[in-house]
Amino acid sequence: MPELIKSSKVKTITRVNDFIIKFANVNGSGSASANKLFAKSVFRMGIPVSPNNIFPSNIQGLPTWYEVRISDAGYLGRRQGIDFMVVMNEQTVNSDIASVVPGGYVLYDSSKALSAELIRDDVQYLGIPLKDICLREFDNPAQRQLFKNIVYVGALSAFLNIDFRILTSMVGEQFRGKEKLILPNIHALELGHQYAKENFSCPLGLRLKTSNKTKNKILIDGNTAIGLGCVYGGATIGAWYPLTPSTSVVDSFGKYCKRLRIDPGTGKKKYTIVQAEDELAAIGIAIGAGWMGARAFTATSGPGLSLMQEFLGLAYFAEVPLVLFDIQRVGPSTGMPTRTQQGDLLACAYASHGDTKHVLLFPSSPTECFEFAARAFDIADRLQSPVIVMSDLELGMNEQICDPLNWDDKHEYDRGKVLNASQLEEIEKFGRYLDVDGDGITYRTYPGTHPDLGSYFTRGSSHNPYAAYTEDGDVYADMMDRLALKLKTALKYIPEPEVSGGGKNKLGLMYFGSTSMAIQEVRDSLNKKGIKFDTLRVRSFPFHPAVGEFLECHELTYVIEQNRDAQLKSLLKIECNANNDKMQSILSYNGVLVSAQRIERDILNSMQSLENSGEIPA
């Protein structure tokens, strides 16, 4: 019999397709695939879902959590408060149960009784003897551990009204080619489902109902989308050194290359992936390949970015195309490798010593990760300069609902100003760093284009328009002015900001990247309170004029970002000469995606304070 723990005081939550469930597990226990099975089954029921894997930076043994937000309204940013907790880790059981909101549910392994201090009188406990069931039903010790996770997913299907047929079909898909594993997994699901049905009133007040809100949508993580975007963007070379959370970018690139970059006639690979000895070598390989005319990239995170600074300066000054994917994590130094942040803006915008400035792209969804990845190679070739695509761990490693990834097969790659042999013969004297068109972008050739013409020295030292070494300060200054002009020309090619509201309101919200997941929920909630905002999502750097104009036309703009030092706000002050008094920072830097509730609370507190001081109209 189940261990029934329920106080008469408990008034449980009654809600359909709108709750948060969190799984507390031990890293390395095999829970990841079971928890993903749960999230994807909800998605296949047509219900918007947002999974979030919170894992440690070691291989095995430490606590790990998997949080799933289910929202029929489509609010898929993080929300505070847990409605349903699956506790499978004794190390964290106290804090896990404490995080459940009043009226919520706790599913636990009742093979061992809960201690008295863990019993709350305002939540409902759902005890299932997972260990005892697996000991009875499975002989293999490894299977017993793994199937505990599958059994609780089966129980959740009964508690929450998940379509059981979806679960069984997904098991069949997951183990296609490994048919011996299908029946045991389905049996484990059935054990949990049956036990919950026989011992509890199912479904609970917290439940799921089939919907159609995910029609024509996909579930994918940003790093996978970037890897595919690199393939479609024409990349043939990926050079990297493993570093969380960027590793899966190259893994995905390799996976898709094996399907899409194999010559059908010869079976030969039409791509190269190089795991270098360190981050310096990785970016050096990518720069060398870009100099040769290949489309090449590297992927890293904060510590690797720090090591790549000098090479970024070389690519900028020698004007070599390069695409770098920075999947940001918490810093400085080692920081928290498996937590998210937006702390690399200043490091990327002005990477390297001296006067450098780089093009940055800020995707906010897996769809944009795909699109911006492909587009980055065109921009890098056109500008002959590094382009840094800035994602983060939240966007890169967690699956999100998004529109399908589309590609125009008629798209022609923009290779920029590249001279062929006949064009070289028409030029009286080739100047590799000579601005012919007045846009800051010079002409280049690929090595070996002509047997006699077009040769030049590529150098990181000061040079004149004909690539000859010089220490003439005026010539150097002219080169630097041209590079600055190139960054102004870049505005023709980089994504424009996304603006809504039409300038009708006195207040503005400005944000970028994964922070955007919370914004619609914030706007809707504040709108119900009579507070309306115009919004601007920054999608690239250097900033388009619309960014400065947005700040100028609003009495106050809240700049929302996930770092301690308000780096976006700093860039706005430097690049747009923005008035500091017209900007208010909303900052979050605890390593977890900022929630809509946190943003709203900080805005309301700020508005109240400013109103009391007379600095903003009521």
Side-chain angles (χ1 to χ4, degrees):
M1 291 297 292
E3 182 189 10
L4 297 175
I5 307 174
K6 183 176 180 181
S7 167
S8 59
K9 298 180 182 180
V10 176
K11 184 178 181 181
T12 53
I13 300 170
T14 301
R15 212 180 296 140
V16 177
N17 294 356
D18 182 20
F19 58 90
I20 291 180
I21 180 170
K22 191 171 185 177
F23 302 83
N25 301 99
V26 177
N27 198 35
S29 63
S31 59
S33 59
N35 296 340
K36 288 180 181 179
L37 178 68
F38 169 81
K40 290 182 178 181
S41 68
V42 178
F43 173 78
R44 291 201 180 183
M45 288 179 66
I47 306 165
V49 62
S50 178
N52 189 328
N53 190 18
I54 306 168
F55 59 101
S57 56
N58 77 330
I59 297 174
Q60 190 167 346
L62 288 182
T64 183
W65 294 269
Y66 191 80
E67 187 173 303
V68 182
R69 182 170 187 185
I70 297 163
S71 171
D72 209 43
Y75 297 141
L76 299 178
R78 183 170 167 266
R79 196 205 80 189
Q80 295 172 344
I82 306 303
D83 303 305
F84 196 121
M85 176 66 76
V86 179
V87 289
M88 299 293 292
N89 189 345
E90 292 187 5
Q91 300 175 62
T92 62
V93 64
N94 293 68
S95 58
D96 291 332
I97 292 178
S99 68
V100 179
V101 300
Y105 298 83
V106 174
L107 190 161
Y108 69 101
D109 186 353
S110 60
S111 302
K112 177 182 177 182
L114 287 177
S115 58
E117 65 267 20
L118 296 175
I119 307 303
R120 291 171 49 182
D121 62 4
D122 60 349
V123 298
Q124 180 174 345
Y125 291 82
L126 306 168
I128 299 180
L130 300 170
K131 181 180 178 180
D132 291 345
I133 290 173
C134 290
L135 282 171
R136 183 181 70 244
E137 296 290 335
F138 303 104
D139 297 325
N140 187 305
Q143 282 189 335
R144 288 170 176 169
Q145 173 60 43
L146 294 172
F147 284 144
K148 279 175 62 178
N149 307 310
I150 302 299
V151 172
Y152 71 60
V153 172
L156 289 173
S157 70
F159 287 138
L160 302 177
N161 197 38
I162 297 174
D163 188 333
F164 197 77
R165 293 169 299 179
I166 290 177
L167 285 172
T168 56
S169 68
M170 289 178 64
V171 168
E173 293 172 14
Q174 182 177 344
F175 295 107
R176 186 176 291 120
K178 301 178 181 178
E179 275 69 22
K180 290 183 179 180
L181 297 175
I182 295 176
L183 288 179
N185 274 273
I186 291 177
H187 180 53
L189 286 172
E190 290 172 338
L191 289 170
H193 186 272
Q194 182 179 357
Y195 188 92
K197 280 280 192 181
E198 291 177 353
N199 294 281
F200 297 93
S201 177
C202 297
L204 305 174
L206 210 61
R207 65 181 71 183
L208 301 168
K209 182 180 179 182
T210 301
S211 182
N212 63 354
K213 299 292 180 65
T214 62
K215 186 177 181 181
N216 299 323
K217 299 286 185 179
I218 63 172
L219 197 63
I220 188 173
D221 65 81
N223 283 358
T224 297
I226 285 175
L228 186 59
C230 289
V231 175
Y232 277 85
T236 55
I237 296 175
W240 68 307
Y241 182 78
L243 186 65
T244 301
S246 64
T247 298
S248 57
V249 168
V250 184
D251 289 343
S252 298
F253 176 69
K255 178 182 71 174
Y256 289 117
C257 280
K258 289 177 183 177
R259 292 172 52 189
L260 303 171
R261 284 281 167 78
I262 303 296
D263 186 273
T266 64
K268 291 183 177 179
K269 295 179 180 179
K270 300 170 69 176
Y271 66 96
T272 297
I273 297 175
V274 182
Q275 181 175 330
E277 61 267 31
D278 55 34
E279 287 88 351
L280 279 172
I283 192 172
I285 291 167
I287 291 172
W291 178 81
M292 287 290 293
R295 289 194 155 183
F297 72 94
T298 187
T300 191
S301 190
L305 177 74
S306 297
L307 293 172
M308 294 176 177
Q309 295 282 309
E310 185 176 358
F311 261 141
L312 279 166
L314 171 66
Y316 172 81
F317 197 51
E319 301 183 63
V320 179
L322 166 72
V323 175
L324 187 154
F325 297 98
D326 177 23
I327 316 301
Q328 299 169 90
R329 74 188 208 191
V330 173
S333 188
T334 305
M336 292 195 290
T338 58
R339 298 293 186 267
T340 196
Q341 203 170 75
Q342 296 175 320
D344 296 349
L345 267 72
L346 292 174
C348 286
Y350 307 119
S352 198
H353 55 279
D355 292 320
T356 54
K357 188 185 294 185
H358 302 291
V359 170
L360 312 180
L361 307 182
F362 306 117
S364 67
S365 67
T367 303
E368 284 193 339
C369 285
F370 171 77
E371 294 171 352
F372 286 13
R375 189 172 177 178
F377 293 97
D378 278 353
I379 298 171
D381 271 352
R382 167 54 58 179
L383 299 177
Q384 300 171 33
S385 191
V387 174
I388 305 175
V389 181
M390 302 192 67
S391 178
D392 56 43
L393 185 145
E394 174 65 37
L395 177 55
M397 297 192 70
N398 288 310
E399 292 180 315
Q400 294 183 28
I401 291 178
C402 66
D403 295 325
L405 310 181
N406 293 314
W407 180 255
D408 183 0
D409 289 330
K410 296 179 181 178
H411 176 81
E412 295 183 4
Y413 297 139
D414 183 354
R415 299 311 303 259
K417 298 181 178 181
V418 180
L419 299 174
N420 58 33
S422 61
Q423 289 172 323
L424 283 170
E425 292 174 350
E426 295 173 0
I427 296 174
E428 183 176 345
K429 185 179 181 181
F430 172 61
R432 170 63 184 94
Y433 300 112
L434 180 66
D435 185 2
V436 176
D437 303 318
D439 59 1
I441 304 173
T442 64
Y443 286 83
R444 64 175 175 140
T445 64
Y446 300 141
T449 297
H450 195 285
D452 303 310
L453 303 175
S455 62
Y456 62 92
F457 282 107
T458 300
R459 57 175 81 247
S461 54
S462 181
H463 45 264
N464 69 15
Y466 296 94
Y469 176 76
T470 181
E471 291 192 15
D472 186 317
D474 291 336
V475 173
Y476 163 79
D478 287 342
M479 287 290 104
M480 294 300 291
D481 288 341
R482 180 180 60 75
L483 290 172
L485 175 60
K486 182 196 291 191
L487 268 293
K488 292 182 179 179
T489 301
L491 297 176
K492 298 179 182 178
Y493 305 105
I494 62 178
E496 295 185 2
E498 183 181 80
V499 184
S500 66
K504 302 174 185 177
N505 301 298
K506 296 178 180 180
L507 300 175
L509 292 180
M510 190 174 292
Y511 56 97
F512 70 102
S514 61
T515 308
S516 63
M517 295 175 65
I519 298 302
Q520 188 58 53
E521 186 173 6
V522 172
R523 291 187 69 188
D524 290 348
S525 180
L526 289 174
N527 189 49
K528 292 177 182 177
K529 296 177 172 66
I531 304 171
K532 296 184 178 181
F533 287 87
D534 295 327
T535 65
L536 184 145
R537 176 165 68 91
V538 178
R539 300 205 300 161
S540 61
F541 175 86
F543 298 127
H544 282 272
V547 174
E549 293 166 3
F550 184 91
L551 293 169
E552 186 63 31
C553 73
H554 290 89
E555 293 186 9
L556 183 66
T557 296
Y558 287 96
V559 182
I560 306 167
E561 48 187 316
Q562 297 179 97
N563 56 68
R564 183 195 69 181
D565 294 340
Q567 295 185 31
L568 176 58
K569 184 180 176 182
S570 296
L571 280 177
L572 293 168
K573 287 192 286 186
I574 295 169
E575 299 291 333
C576 301
N577 197 27
N579 185 343
N580 187 66
D581 294 336
K582 298 186 71 172
M583 296 186 292
Q584 188 81 19
S585 289
I586 303 293
L587 304 175
S588 178
Y589 43 90
N590 62 357
V592 181
L593 180 68
V594 65
S595 69
Q597 289 76 20
R598 164 71 184 278
I599 294 172
E600 179 179 350
R601 183 175 67 248
D602 286 358
I603 288 175
L604 291 173
N605 289 340
S606 168
M607 291 181 65
Q608 184 65 53
S609 176
L610 292 171
E611 186 177 325
N612 291 339
S613 66
E615 296 180 46
I616 187 171

